[in-house]
Amino acid sequence: MHTPHTLRLRGREFPPGAFAVMAVVNRTPDSFFDQGRTYGFDAALAAVGDAVRAGADIVDIGGVKAGPGDTVDAAEEIRRVAGLVAAVREAHPDLVISVDTWRAEVGEVVAEAGADLLNDTWGGPDPRLAEVAAAYGIGLVCAHAGRAEPRTRPHRVGYDDVVADVVAHVTALAERAVAAGVRADAVLIDPAHDFGKNTWHSLAVSRRLHELTATGLPVLVAVSNKDFVGETLGGLPVTERHAGTLATLAVSAWQGARVFRVHDPASARTALDTVTRLRSLSRTAPTGT
């Protein structure tokens, strides 16, 4: 096991053992979870304020639905997110702002607008994104999407060992990012549950998440209301996956994950604070209690 890194973003430190809540705010009309509730500019800006008050350390702003849907080119993605990033930076000077994008041209614009982290959930299809993060001195999320094209859902994807594939891919991306000039203390890795994976793969990643945290790199988990949670619980719809989400967050936190991308930051903060307390008690409890 490697020595865990301290994550540093926007002058804030997230050391090993600390949990950071990353709230999702999507400026998309077709988000799988909120179905466009925060697509409007004012609604999105208000949602950021709500997330901060609920205990979010990071807000992840997205302008493109992850799954298949209407085409959104780079210009439209920039139209959706750049102005919001600038407004959020003005309203919340100390907030860590993340932008969910795989495109370097988008990354450059949002970095100029004040973003602190580029969240590439598609596993590095554009290597120039790391160069943007390096040039602006901001962070980068290195994820595993099974080498799927952005916004696609591969059919019958298979791995000899999905967790080994995840570890190899994200650590290689992290090394490539640092070689490109990204600060080593601003790189995160994300197994990207459900991206290029079926439910069995996502469950395997959750059970063996300690193999990712053993790399020492800060691990981000984005499991909130995802399909694998619903399928595991018998086919629950998106609106009924909250309890399963919190359970998966707790299991991930216990194994050492550090950053948690969620739709309900208040509940996530409570769950993670509980894990922190339980972990503290487990270290201090007298033998035999």
Side-chain angles (χ1 to χ4, degrees), residues 61-268:
I61 295 170
V64 184
K65 177 184 177 181
D70 293 342
T71 299
V72 180
D73 62 15
E76 174 61 14
E77 185 181 358
I78 288 169
R79 185 194 71 79
R80 293 179 181 183
V81 300
L84 180 60
V85 169
V88 171
R89 174 51 63 228
E90 182 177 0
H92 304 280
D94 299 323
L95 178 66
V96 178
I97 301 174
S98 170
V99 175
D100 182 352
T101 188
W102 72 91
R103 292 168 166 147
E105 57 265 53
V106 177
E108 187 160 15
V109 173
V110 298
E112 286 279 1
D116 306 296
L117 178 66
L118 301 176
N119 182 14
D120 177 12
T121 58
W122 288 104
D126 186 347
R128 296 176 301 150
L129 193 67
E131 297 171 10
V132 171
Y136 285 87
I138 61 177
L140 181 68
V141 178
C142 299
H144 176 280
R147 298 158 191 82
E149 290 294 319
R151 306 194 67 198
T152 65
R153 291 177 176 163
H155 183 60
R156 294 187 182 279
V157 63
Y159 303 92
D160 291 335
D161 182 330
V162 64
V163 178
D165 198 275
V166 169
V167 171
H169 186 73
V170 298
T171 53
L173 285 180
E175 290 169 0
R176 186 176 79 181
V178 172
V182 182
R183 295 192 343 263
D185 60 1
V187 174
L188 299 91
I189 57 174
D190 175 10
H193 294 74
D194 281 3
F195 280 66
K197 302 172 188 68
N198 60 28
T199 291
W200 190 93
H201 296 138
S202 292
L203 289 173
V205 168
S206 291
R207 285 193 302 269
R208 297 168 55 192
L209 198 71
H210 58 277
E211 295 180 36
L212 275 84
T213 61
T215 66
L217 294 164
V219 173
L220 181 155
V221 291
V223 300
S224 187
N225 300 298
K226 283 195 169 177
D227 286 347
F228 86 96
V229 174
E231 290 182 10
T232 299
L233 298 175
L236 293 181
V238 170
T239 55
E240 298 177 24
R241 299 173 184 172
H242 183 62
T245 293
L246 293 180
T248 309
L249 290 180
V251 169
S252 302
W254 195 266
Q255 294 182 80
R258 290 267 208 101
V259 181
F260 303 83
R261 185 179 184 272
V262 296
H263 297 99
D264 183 350
S267 292

Side-chain angles (χ1 to χ4, degrees), residues 1-91:
M1 181 172 179
H2 297 275
T3 302
H5 296 194
T6 292
L7 175 66
R8 295 180 175 87
L9 297 169
R10 195 164 188 81
R12 293 190 59 184
E13 291 194 354
F14 303 95
F19 301 135
V21 173
M22 172 189 275
V24 180
V25 176
N26 285 324
R27 280 212 71 197
T28 57
D30 50 0
S31 168
F32 90 98
F33 180 71
D34 64 26
Q35 298 297 306
R37 183 180 63 83
T38 57
Y39 180 50
F41 184 91
D42 290 342
L45 187 58
V48 172
D50 291 342
V52 171
R53 286 185 289 274
D57 304 287
I58 306 167
V59 170
D60 190 44
I61 295 170
V64 184
K65 177 184 177 181
D70 293 342
T71 299
V72 180
D73 62 15
E76 174 61 14
E77 185 181 358
I78 288 169
R79 185 194 71 79
R80 293 179 181 183
V81 300
L84 180 60
V85 169
V88 171
R89 174 51 63 228
E90 182 177 0

